[in-house]
Amino acid sequence: MTGLRYVYAVCRPFGAALQSQLTGLGGDPPRLLTHHGLIAVVSHVPERDFAEAPLRAHLEDLEWLTATARTHQLVIDALTAVTTPLPLRLGTVFRDDSGVRTMMEAREEDFHRILDRVQGRVEWGVKVYAESEKQEQAQELEQEKPAQPVSGRDYLRLRRQQTRATEDSWQRAESFATRIHDMLSAHAEDSRLHAPQNATLSGAPGRNVLNAAYLVPRTASEEFVELVDHMKDDTPGMRVELTGPWAAYSFTQLSEEERP
């Protein structure tokens, strides 16, 4: 089959088979390209979509980008079920197999170093949100307002109460986020703090006060999940979300100099 080579990930040789019905980009089932003890997981993709100019244009098309990212992730998830992949960034494309092998040889030392570090490990994501406690307190204070017009002094007192309630709510949220991060970090081999998500962009209710990733051995994942479950109801007004297991995205990032 002709076409460019789209590379999803690099990994070590593995014995288990990928899902028989797994389809990659361009409708081409992913295949394994071996070079010097490493495997690149690739699909053939058409030049009309993945050559440099059309790819650059497609990356500005949210609908195309979303569908491509979804398929890319499906392949990574299938790999994660059977091995420890090092995911490459979306849109990693080469002219032919030779180009892929040249990239693997140039980055061979980096790939082996990172795979040594994450072998047998997965990433778990944990987000903590401060929910509607702030609004509930504001509503309680609203109910305390007298029916008759209040004096300027009473109005200022109510405003101070609202401000204190809001500050107390965020302090509790930050304290809880710090505590859960410290505890989870102690049960993980490594952790990464990401920037809190913007509620307008994510659509998730509440304020995101913790957005973290944890590198955990597969064999310790059940214990890690149980620990998160035990902490979910620890503090009223806090919502804890656990996602994973993922490929270790947060711990396999190549530097700009190392990227293919």
Side-chain angles (χ1 to χ4, degrees):
M1 182 177 181
T2 60
L4 303 175
R5 307 304 191 265
Y6 184 99
V7 187
Y8 303 92
V10 173
C11 58
R12 297 259 173 76
F14 56 92
L18 289 173
Q19 302 167 13
S20 59
Q21 301 302 315
L22 183 64
T23 301
L25 293 167
D28 185 41
R31 63 188 182 89
L32 309 182
L33 184 63
T34 303
H35 185 71
H36 289 184
L38 292 171
I39 290 176
V41 183
V42 306
S43 282
H44 294 81
V45 290
E47 290 193 38
R48 66 177 182 274
D49 288 322
F50 290 90
E52 184 176 356
L55 178 60
R56 189 184 307 113
H58 279 317
L59 292 177
E60 301 296 325
D61 180 345
L62 183 59
E63 184 176 350
W64 186 93
L65 185 60
T66 299
T68 300
R70 185 181 298 116
T71 302
H72 179 103
Q73 185 61 47
L74 287 173
V75 174
I76 299 299
D77 288 345
L79 283 168
T80 304
V82 297
T83 188
T84 303
L86 192 169
L88 300 189
R89 59 182 175 180
L90 190 73
T92 299
V93 180
F94 295 89
R95 173 60 57 185
D96 50 27
D97 287 356
S98 178
V100 178
R101 289 194 170 96
T102 297
M103 176 273 293
M104 294 171 71
E105 186 163 343
R107 304 303 181 193
E108 183 175 352
E109 183 177 338
D110 300 323
F111 289 153
H112 278 297
R113 171 176 53 80
I114 296 173
L115 287 169
D116 282 343
R117 181 167 177 259
V118 300
Q119 195 70 32
R121 297 160 178 82
V122 292
E123 176 176 324
W124 291 92
V126 176
K127 294 184 178 68
V128 175
Y129 297 89
E131 292 194 296
S132 58
E133 186 175 358
K134 173 185 173 182
Q135 290 82 358
E136 292 173 357
Q137 290 173 336
Q139 291 172 357
E140 291 174 359
L141 289 171
E142 188 70 27
Q143 293 171 358
E144 293 176 2
K145 291 183 179 179
Q148 299 299 320
V150 297
S151 67
R153 178 179 298 177
D154 288 336
Y155 175 78
L156 290 175
R157 177 181 59 82
L158 288 170
R159 292 294 296 170
R160 284 196 296 269
Q161 287 178 318
Q162 290 175 337
T163 299
R164 283 197 299 270
T166 299
E167 291 175 349
D168 289 346
S169 174
W170 294 138
Q171 286 177 358
R172 285 195 298 273
E174 294 291 347
S175 176
F176 176 73
T178 299
R179 182 158 54 87
I180 193 172
H181 177 63
D182 289 346
M183 184 171 295
L184 295 179
S185 295
H187 287 77
E189 292 193 358
D190 201 355
S191 63
R192 292 286 186 275
L193 285 172
H194 300 305
Q197 288 188 328
N198 184 302
T200 303
L201 297 177
S202 69
R207 177 182 176 183
N208 184 208
V209 293
L210 177 67
N211 181 14
Y214 302 90
L215 185 66
V216 180
R218 287 181 186 272
T219 54
S221 285
E222 184 175 350
E223 180 183 352
F224 185 85
V225 171
E226 289 177 354
L227 179 62
V228 175
D229 285 340
H230 289 157
M231 300 189 74
K232 281 186 175 180
D233 301 321
D234 198 38
T235 301
M238 298 291 106
R239 186 176 82 258
V240 180
E241 292 185 356
L242 173 71
T243 60
W246 306 108
Y249 281 99
S250 299
F251 308 92
T252 58
Q253 294 299 315
L254 295 168
S255 68
E256 290 296 330
E257 294 77 14
E258 293 171 335
R259 288 178 181 175

